Amino acid sequence: MKQLGIIGYQLSHSISPEFQQAALDHHKINAEFHRWEIKEDELNSFFETIQDADFVGASVTIPYKEKCVDLVDKVSDSANLIGAVNCIVNTNNQLVGHNTDGSGFIRALKTKHGFNLKKKKVLLIGAGGAAKAISHSLIKENIKEITIANRTVSRGDELAQKLKSITTKVNSIKLERQSLIKPLKDVDLIVNTTSIGMKNSLHPEHSPIPIDLIPNNAIVNDIVYNPIETPLIKAAKMRNASTIGGLDMLVYQGVEAFELWTGRRAPETIMYDAAREALGL
Ligand code: NAP
């Protein structure tokens, strides 16, 4: 039997095994999708055990996305630019690291929601791992400009600087009311990539941006998926803005991974339904 799985630590809440197994079963692929909970000091030896013909590939999550860049045999150009691997594919006994977070985010926006990114103004809140992946994919979409708003300005500046080697359409501001007023005036897409609003985070009840500044003609995409309706999503609905929740990115990064592992078209609806069921929705 072929073997796949998700590699991470504290994985009990991960729903990837449920929706990936549903996709494998749909295509009648004789494979098992595992939850590989690995301690940091066991990561290197774990990589030795997966160098085997039955190993098809893996998703990678917190806290190993950056570490995996050095543990695979080869890294895709986009994973290399982002500096993180969230998907490993066994290609002729070579482990190849990819990053499907950004491409999955874009695919959900374009194919599930029919959103055209061309010439759009984007406010990206946060400058961590998810923001890096999403921003690298956004700038390939011919957007008009991207403003990065982060609590720690130096991290936002650092990401903006990296992106400036590819595009001039990027700037960095502090995540605070005064600095947000101008970019929010005519923004088309707002993306929250911070953990603000996430269950069990320090600020589960907060919106990362002031509610009264959300324009009603913007699309608000919160990549936090637990809870499904975050304070930002609730606030955006109150302002009559369109909303997209974090489950879409989660499923679509998995859709992209499934297609890399199997070469088959991922059954998107089946994966989405399995993800919702795993969350008890
Ligand atoms: P990360 O690398 O640790 O980055 C965290 C970001 O959140 C940083 O920009 C950080 O700002 C900001 N932040 C954290 N607490 C804050 C606070 N109290 N006030 C203001 N800013 C704060 O994390 P990540 O991997 O990018 O993940 C971020 C979130 O996205 C998590 O909730 C994660 O579950 C979610 N996520 C969802 C998906 C999906 O598929 N839907 C995929 C990946 C991640 P500083 O730089 O100032 O610290």
Side-chain angles (χ1 to χ4, degrees), residues 156-249:
D157 287 351
E158 202 182 305
L159 175 55
Q161 211 48 48
K162 260 194 165 178
L163 295 169
K164 272 182 186 155
S165 63
I166 315 166
T167 177
T168 51
K169 305 174 278 191
V170 57
N171 57 76
S172 155
I173 60 168
K174 186 164 175 60
L175 181 57
E176 60 171 15
R177 184 180 180 90
Q178 200 52 37
S179 311
L180 285 164
I181 292 173
K182 194 165 167 259
L184 276 170
K185 258 195 186 125
D186 56 353
V187 72
D188 298 297
L189 173 68
I190 300 168
V191 186
N192 175 44
T193 71
T194 73
S195 47
I196 301 172
M198 189 173 80
K199 189 178 165 191
N200 300 330
S201 69
L202 278 177
H203 304 288
E205 74 290 355
H206 287 183
S207 162
I209 53 175
I211 295 170
D212 60 301
L213 295 184
I214 300 173
N216 64 6
N217 53 352
I219 299 214
V220 177
N221 190 333
D222 196 342
I223 73 160
V224 172
Y225 63 89
N226 193 5
I228 283 291
E229 188 154 273
T230 60
L232 175 61
I233 294 284
K234 276 189 192 151
K237 283 183 177 169
M238 272 165 51
R239 299 281 298 164
N240 288 323
S242 306
T243 59
I244 302 177
L247 194 55
D248 288 1
M249 173 178 168

Side-chain angles (χ1 to χ4, degrees), residues 83-99:
V85 161
N86 81 325
C87 170
I88 298 171
V89 183
N90 185 355
T91 310
N92 304 323
N93 289 331
Q94 258 210 331
L95 299 184
V96 184
H98 297 262
N99 195 305

